[in-house]
Amino acid sequence: MQYNFDEMIDRKNTNAMNTDGFREYIFQAPASMQFPYDDDKFVRMWVADMEFASPPEIISAIKERLDKRIFGYTKVFDPEYYQAFVNWTKRQYDWSFAKEQLVTSPGIIPALYELVEYICKPDEKILIVTPSYAFFKHAADYNKIELVCSALVNDQGYYTMDFADLEEKAQDEKVSLCIFCNPHNPSGRVWTPEELKRFGEICLSNNLWIISDEIHCDLLRNGQVHTPLAKVFPETDRIITCMAPSKTFNMAGLMFSNIIIPNENLREIWRARHYSFENPLSIAAAQAAYQHGEAWLKQLKVYLDGNFAFLKQYLERHLPKAVFRIPEATYLAWLDIGAYLPDEENMPLYFANQAGVLLEGGNMFVANSDGFIRLNLACPRAVLEEGLKRICAALNKAE
Ligand code: LCS
């Protein structure tokens, strides 16, 4: 079956964060905030969901579940769900885990907030690498836990970990947890098994817990392979793995994710305190995604590879001083445009006003990210082209 990723889908009147929530999320502003563009004239390249329809196989499964007509209290009781998901992890990453280790959550963000509370004592600290998905910081802040940051090293757009710095920070006895992004948002790095080994050894030898947020692990450039951190350390029970069909199949609004907790005590705390019911439509959708979504994902990856090649070429021609490297994973492009705008520029505000493009800026990624913008490429190529045209016109004018 061929899937159509060029289709333009109207998201109006769907309560989409992407179309209706940008004032609140990007600008912390009320609905009255004005721009020189009408809302439906913006090119939207910000929040990490896609402009593509979810696979028809998932939509059919939701319809089938709808036809059962009763939507009472629901949890994942049927072992078929575990089987579908573990078959996926075996096929995709040659990795599996025991059924009792799997719990589910309405999202990885809520799971992070909870796990920080369950793992960290009030005077302890959390380690992250920067730039970082901001909710890693929010999870620490929400729980009033101090954050310790280790800056990634950026070589012409290729990010690596500073192991000496990580080692020094992990040795702080108060650091008890590292929240890690594998593959990494926003750089798009797919950490190699060697990098994961070195990173994991530093954390584990210093008695840290690790939450490995692997939400982007299915969205790789062709030729890349994802290695779950827990696969590198089969002996430890201190690595919690977070995966979800939400990013992969564009179903974040269905609010369903997998949390794999190998440690029995931590799982008991989770079971005692986590509100564990799920949406019946979401379970049906997630199971169908893992059972029947592979062909769609395969075509999606080809389309995304094409979008990244298009972006690279476009930048070389129209924005030669931007530093950009096609990411190994995610549908997010991380661009250093420091040659065009001062680091202290509020990038999202600049592009909303000057170009009619909604994007995320370095200011939204905790630290070590000034002068950057992040573009979401999970859109029809025609939308990407229009967005790039506007961005490049604004920057070439600004020079
Ligand atoms: N973890 C990472 C690393 C993410 O990038 C995202 C979404 C989430 C968790 C959200 O998980 P959820 O609670 O939906 O299961 N990333 C977004 C981003 O970078 N911009 O908008 C959303």
Side-chain angles (χ1 to χ4, degrees):
M1 184 169 175
Q2 283 296 322
Y3 305 96
N4 180 8
F5 297 104
D6 288 314
E7 184 186 359
M8 305 274 196
I9 301 178
D10 187 0
R11 298 179 74 173
K12 261 206 277 315
N13 303 320
T14 64
N15 282 309
M17 184 75 174
N18 200 319
T19 55
D20 295 13
F22 66 90
R23 285 179 178 76
E24 175 188 318
Y25 189 102
I26 306 179
F27 303 109
Q28 291 83 52
S32 56
M33 186 180 189
Q34 295 287 320
F35 296 93
Y37 293 83
D38 289 343
D39 282 19
D40 59 358
K41 294 289 184 290
F42 276 118
V43 175
R44 294 172 281 100
M45 306 179 84
W46 69 289
V47 67
D49 64 17
M50 308 197 247
E51 292 300 296
F52 308 133
S54 282
E57 295 81 356
I58 293 179
I59 295 168
S60 298
I62 295 173
K63 284 181 178 159
E64 258 176 52
R65 179 61 189 84
L66 273 175
D67 284 342
K68 296 194 192 318
R69 299 186 300 162
I70 295 178
F71 310 105
Y73 290 112
T74 306
K75 276 167 91 156
V76 182
F77 292 110
D78 186 347
E80 187 85 355
Y81 176 71
Y82 162 75
Q83 209 48 57
F85 178 43
V86 85
N87 287 348
W88 180 270
T89 66
K90 279 185 200 160
R91 260 197 332 272
Q92 307 291 331
Y93 339 114
D94 186 26
W95 176 66
S96 62
F97 54 89
K99 181 171 176 295
E100 65 269 17
Q101 298 182 359
L102 177 65
V103 298
T104 62
S105 164
I108 290 177
I109 297 171
L112 289 181
Y113 279 49
E114 283 184 52
L115 288 166
V116 167
E117 181 188 337
Y118 304 159
I119 292 171
C120 298
K121 297 192 187 72
D123 65 338
E124 291 181 342
K125 302 177 193 175
I126 293 174
L127 178 62
I128 63 169
V129 297
T130 59
S132 169
Y133 178 54
F135 277 91
F136 290 8
K137 176 179 184 331
H138 299 335
D141 292 349
Y142 177 81
N143 286 288
K144 301 191 171 57
I145 301 289
E146 189 178 328
L147 193 69
V148 177
C149 295
S150 176
L152 293 173
V153 178
N154 176 12
D155 179 10
Q156 293 295 303
Y158 189 75
Y159 282 80
T160 49
M161 286 183 261
D162 181 343
F163 291 112
D165 185 63
L166 273 170
E167 174 107 58
E168 193 186 317
K169 285 170 174 160
Q171 279 169 0
D172 178 343
E173 279 179 6
K174 289 293 175 190
V175 172
S176 59
L177 167 67
C178 178
I179 308 181
F180 185 62
C181 199
N182 173 37
H184 182 254
N185 174 15
S187 74
R189 270 305 313 280
V190 170
W191 307 114
T192 64
E194 294 71 33
E195 287 174 304
L196 292 173
K197 189 156 189 294
R198 221 169 142 191
F199 161 77
E201 276 169 358
I202 289 172
C203 292
L204 296 171
S205 67
N206 285 290
N207 281 326
L208 271 62
W209 289 86
I210 307 171
I211 300 176
S212 189
D213 179 345
E214 307 194 357
I215 194 169
H216 295 278
C217 66
D218 296 315
L219 294 160
L220 309 185
R221 295 294 80 69
N222 282 298
Q224 294 288 337
V225 177
H226 172 68
T227 307
L229 179 66
K231 181 180 169 181
V232 184
F233 296 95
E235 303 300 323
T236 185
D237 66 355
R238 292 175 75 87
I239 299 173
I240 299 139
T241 305
C242 306
M243 291 178 171
S246 56
K247 286 268 171 286
T248 313
F249 298 102
N250 207 20
M251 44 188 270
L254 291 176
M255 305 203 58
F256 187 88
S257 62
N258 304 298
I259 314 294
I260 299 150
I261 308 178
N263 180 277
E264 214 176 304
N265 290 339
L266 184 61
R267 231 165 37 229
E268 251 171 50
I269 300 174
W270 176 280
R271 291 229 160 85
R273 294 169 66 180
H274 178 81
Y275 182 80
S276 64
F277 292 109
E278 296 291 357
N279 181 324
L281 303 181
S282 307
I283 299 174
Q287 188 169 316
Y290 291 129
Q291 284 172 334
H292 310 298
E294 198 166 344
W296 180 91
L297 177 60
K298 210 168 154 200
Q299 287 180 35
L300 169 75
K301 285 169 61 178
V302 172
Y303 194 87
L304 290 174
D305 284 1
N307 273 1
F308 277 105
F310 181 88
L311 169 67
K312 183 146 184 59
Q313 249 190 7
Y314 200 98
L315 293 175
E316 278 163 6
R317 199 168 309 151
H318 301 283
L319 213 59
K321 286 186 272 179
V323 184
F324 168 68
R325 203 187 155 100
I326 294 178
E328 295 161 336
T330 78
Y331 46 69
L332 307 162
W334 185 240
L335 250 75
D336 180 350
I337 55 162
Y340 293 91
L341 290 175
D343 278 358
E344 56 281 8
E345 184 77 50
N346 181 328
M347 302 288 186
L349 193 62
Y350 177 88
F351 286 99
N353 280 323
Q354 304 298 323
V357 175
L358 297 174
L359 51 72
E360 300 197 7
N363 60 323
M364 298 167 76
F365 293 87
V366 182
N368 191 25
S369 48
D370 287 347
F372 283 80
I373 54 173
R374 197 193 71 173
L375 302 179
N376 180 338
L377 263 59
C379 56
R381 196 142 316 145
V383 175
L384 171 62
E385 187 169 6
E386 177 61 24
L388 290 178
K389 226 187 264 174
R390 294 185 187 192
I391 289 168
C392 293
L395 288 180
N396 287 319
K397 202 170 66 191
E399 256 198 307

